[in-house]
């Protein structure tokens, strides 16, 4: 089972403040009492970050806290896959992510151990799902504006009459 070691900073040193076991598959972190992990600090937003177990990997997501969420000294953008001993920073609060290795169970000699499935390749870079969506949406809007501009220019040059297109638009359900 994975856990977070929460550090308390004093003027000249850090000491372990608390150990938080990641016992559910989704953990909300923030200053609001409704969160699973409540951190009282001016730099921590009411809903600052989340941890979610996806395909046996823990994923950290910044939820828009004022100072952002950092891992190993870098601010994260989007979901971030955590690895053993990653240091999570929420303002001045530091959390060390640790994954406990399950103890190997002894198997009777008669039982043939199952062949483990091949390891899936995990991309450790942040997922940029919003970027491609914004790119596609912006491109679509650009094409619509170009078509509108060409229609207005064609109407101005008396190549077509925009009013002639109205019955076609009504048939297509656009009006």
């Amino acid at each position: 089972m994975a856990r977070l070691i929460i550090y308390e900073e004093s003027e000249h040193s850090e000491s372990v403040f608390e150990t938080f076991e990641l016992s559910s598959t989704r953990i909300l972190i923030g200053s609001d009492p409704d969160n699973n992990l409540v951190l009282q600090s001016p730099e921590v937003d009411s809903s600052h970050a989340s941890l979610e177990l996806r395909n046996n990997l823990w994923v950290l997501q910044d939820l828009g806290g004022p100072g952002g969420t950092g891992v190993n000294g870098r601010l994260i953008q989007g979901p971030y896959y955590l690895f053993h001993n990653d240091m999570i920073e929420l303002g001045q609060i530091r959390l060390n992510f640790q994954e406990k290795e399950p103890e190997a169970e002894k198997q009777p000699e008669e039982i043939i151990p199952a062949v483990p499935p091949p390891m899936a390749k995990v991309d450790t870079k942040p997922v940029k799902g919003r970027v491609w969506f914004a790119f596609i949406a912006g491109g679509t809007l650009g094409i619509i504006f170009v078509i509108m501009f060409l229609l207005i220019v064609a109407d101005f040059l008396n190549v077509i009459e925009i009013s002639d297109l109205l019955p076609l638009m009504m048939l297509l359900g656009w009006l």
Side-chain angles (χ1 to χ4, degrees):
M1 179 182 295
R3 64 183 179 171
L4 295 173
I5 307 295
I6 305 167
Y7 292 96
E8 179 179 48
E9 281 189 30
S10 62
E11 290 182 26
H12 301 288
S13 66
E14 281 186 342
S15 60
V16 174
F17 176 70
E18 180 181 352
T19 300
F20 183 83
E21 300 291 331
L22 302 178
S23 57
S24 67
T25 58
R26 181 160 166 81
I27 308 290
L28 294 175
I29 304 170
S31 60
D32 193 291
D34 291 334
N35 290 307
N36 304 96
L37 177 56
V38 179
L39 301 172
Q40 295 297 332
S41 175
E43 297 94 13
V44 176
D45 196 31
S46 60
S47 295
H48 197 103
S50 70
L51 277 170
E52 187 173 343
L53 186 62
R54 297 182 194 165
N55 298 323
N56 292 326
L57 295 171
W58 283 97
V59 180
L60 177 67
Q61 173 80 40
D62 179 52
L63 299 178
T69 301
V71 176
N72 301 326
R74 291 184 161 173
L75 286 177
I76 63 169
Q77 302 293 323
Y80 184 89
Y81 291 100
L82 290 173
F83 293 99
H84 183 68
N85 275 335
D86 276 346
M87 188 62 73
I88 303 167
E89 296 106 11
L90 306 173
Q92 295 296 319
I93 296 178
R94 300 166 60 81
L95 306 119
N96 183 261
F97 175 76
Q98 294 185 347
E99 280 189 298
K100 292 181 182 176
E101 295 292 327
E103 293 183 21
E105 296 179 11
K106 294 183 180 179
Q107 296 181 352
E109 292 181 21
E110 304 87 60
I111 299 175
I112 300 172
V115 177
M119 294 292 289
K121 186 175 180 180
V122 178
D123 185 13
T124 58
K125 295 180 183 176
V127 179
K128 301 203 187 261
R130 295 181 188 154
V131 173
W132 74 264
F133 179 78
F135 179 75
I136 297 295
T140 303
L141 286 175
I143 290 170
I144 290 171
F145 286 127
V146 167
I147 292 171
M148 289 176 53
F149 176 75
L150 291 174
L151 285 173
I152 291 170
V153 168
D155 185 51
F156 179 75
L157 296 174
N158 292 324
V159 174
I160 63 166
E161 289 288 328
I162 292 182
S163 60
D164 292 341
L165 298 176
L166 291 177
L168 176 63
M169 290 180 165
M170 293 174 106
L171 268 174
L172 296 174
W174 291 352
L175 291 177

